[in-house]
Amino acid sequence: MKKITIIGSGTMGNGIAHVFALHGYPVSLVDVSAGALEKAMQTIAGNLDRMIKKELITPEKKERALSAIRTFTTIDRATEDAGLVVEAVSEDPELKLSLFRQLDDLCPPDTILASNTSSISISRIAAATKRPEKVVGMHFMNPVPVMKLVEVIKGYATSGETCAAVMELAQNLEKIPVAVNDYPGFVANRILMPMINEAIYAVHEGVAGVKEIDTVMKLGMSHPMGPLQLADFIGLDVCLSILRVLFDGFGNPKYAPCPLLVNMVTAGVLGVKSGAGFYSYENGTKDAPVAGRFRN
Ligand code: NAD
């Protein structure tokens, strides 16, 4: 089996390494931060332990998966013999473009270069390389070991062969791949983010309170989590930046981010990662409404 190189070992990168290693692929996991790599290996081991407890895998399978992962702080040696590179570094267009230029220089000509980007155009990333037909989006969902979907994004120049190879790989990971074309937000975020934005508008206009809006969507639409709580989990800054990609990409005012969202991000209120968003996450709580705010 050809080697899989994963660049970026944060939230998504460690999950992607987990699923490839568990399905028998040799993995090279790269991060500029040695600390991030150490934390990633601990997270993977912890998540594999959870799978053992649920009797989904055996302890031997865990050990095999962990020993299939090698870690690197630079990309040069990590990309030797890679059949596929999955990039999962921070969502920064300049960082990704420069990384794809380097990958194009370093990787063998038949290596497929995939990005896990949530919102940056695959065609734009591909245009930074001399192999745009071999560049594709492989958009895993968080948490990667649990979520079944992989959105496979076909850039303007991505070949059918590249798309088919990545679809097959995703199936080998027991995921369900769905092929989509490269337009802003692809499918998942094009539909999810306007829903979250509309929920924030409903708070902003006093249509209902935070808990009430989330309850309507949970109990009325069978969503496992309300849109405002989901926004807190994704990160309000991430939601804002994806909405801006939609707004800029389509030039349509229906994607304009709600001023309340802009205000919250400006104030550093980012959701779970900052301790509060539409809910408070201090003192171990998960969905305590933020006192005195967002009243009807
Ligand atoms: P993260 O911040 O948790 O991790 C990013 C990692 O990339 C960090 O460990 C950082 O040290 C590393 N990094 C930065 N520059 C690097 C470089 N030049 N070389 C190697 N490593 C480098 O980010 P994340 O949440 O895992 O997101 C990664 C990508 O996945 C983004 O493009 C994001 O849009 C996308 N994504 C995120 C989610 C999510 O829910 N978090 C879901 C789907 C897609």
Side-chain angles (χ1 to χ4, degrees):
M1 252 176 222
K2 280 226 172 177
K3 200 175 77 181
I4 311 292
T5 299
I6 296 156
I7 319 231
S9 69
T11 310
M12 297 305 287
N14 79 60
I16 299 168
H18 171 133
V19 292
F20 272 110
L22 193 57
H23 288 83
Y25 291 87
V27 169
S28 296
L29 181 59
V30 188
D31 203 292
V32 280
S33 153
L37 284 169
E38 202 176 307
K39 194 169 154 219
M41 292 308 291
Q42 284 167 5
T43 304
I44 295 169
N47 288 338
L48 290 168
D49 280 336
R50 204 165 306 142
M51 293 181 82
I52 296 173
K53 263 196 201 124
K54 289 186 185 161
E55 298 184 3
L56 296 171
I57 59 166
T58 58
E60 296 70 43
K61 220 167 169 197
K62 171 193 165 188
E63 290 315 316
R64 234 177 296 141
L66 286 177
S67 60
I69 305 174
R70 292 181 63 201
T71 58
F72 299 83
T73 49
T74 55
I75 59 170
D76 39 10
R77 276 191 312 120
T79 45
E80 281 166 12
D81 315 325
L84 168 75
V85 176
V86 184
E87 169 277 313
V89 303
S90 325
E91 188 78 342
D92 168 348
E94 290 315 316
L95 173 64
K96 291 199 197 266
L97 293 182
S98 124
L99 190 56
F100 272 78
R101 268 181 225 115
Q102 287 179 63
L103 288 170
D104 192 31
D105 288 341
L106 283 167
C107 292
D110 58 345
T111 306
I112 294 177
L113 306 180
S115 175
N116 185 54
T117 178
S118 306
S119 63
I120 300 167
S121 158
I122 297 302
S123 308
R124 181 179 175 200
I125 294 174
T129 73
K130 291 184 282 305
R131 63 178 91 190
E133 74 288 353
K134 292 205 164 290
V135 178
V136 65
M138 202 173 183
H139 186 203
F140 289 85
M141 305 290 134
N142 185 18
V144 181
V146 177
M147 300 290 277
K148 283 281 172 206
L149 177 69
V150 179
E151 216 179 9
V152 174
I153 301 122
K154 197 169 181 297
Y156 190 81
T158 310
S159 69
E161 202 185 1
T162 299
C163 204
V166 166
M167 299 278 287
E168 192 185 327
L169 262 175
Q171 277 162 349
N172 293 347
L173 303 178
E174 296 177 82
K175 301 289 185 199
I176 313 282
V178 174
V180 310
N181 287 315
D182 183 25
Y183 288 96
F186 317 132
V187 169
N189 282 321
R190 180 170 179 170
I191 295 172
L192 174 65
M193 289 302 158
M195 183 188 72
I196 286 177
N197 200 35
E198 204 56 38
I200 301 174
Y201 265 114
V203 178
H204 185 54
E205 292 170 7
V207 179
V210 168
K211 271 227 147 168
E212 287 76 6
I213 291 168
D214 275 354
T215 302
V216 167
M217 297 306 286
K218 276 195 287 188
L219 302 186
M221 319 298 153
S222 287
H223 289 190
M225 198 185 270
L228 299 166
Q229 190 170 26
L230 181 57
D232 277 358
F233 274 91
I234 293 171
L236 301 186
D237 52 339
V238 174
C239 293
L240 178 59
S241 108
I242 298 175
L243 278 163
R244 286 188 166 139
V245 168
L246 293 172
F247 185 58
D248 293 345
F250 292 114
N252 187 330
K254 78 175 179 181
Y255 298 109
C258 175
L260 173 60
L261 174 64
V262 177
N263 267 358
M264 290 172 81
V265 173
T266 307
V269 177
L270 307 180
V272 177
K273 63 183 153 193
S274 73
F278 291 100
Y279 297 90
S280 166
Y281 300 91
E282 274 145 20
N283 313 319
T285 58
K286 281 206 168 133
D287 56 1
V290 175
R293 291 209 169 254
F294 314 129
R295 290 268 169 78
N296 287 349

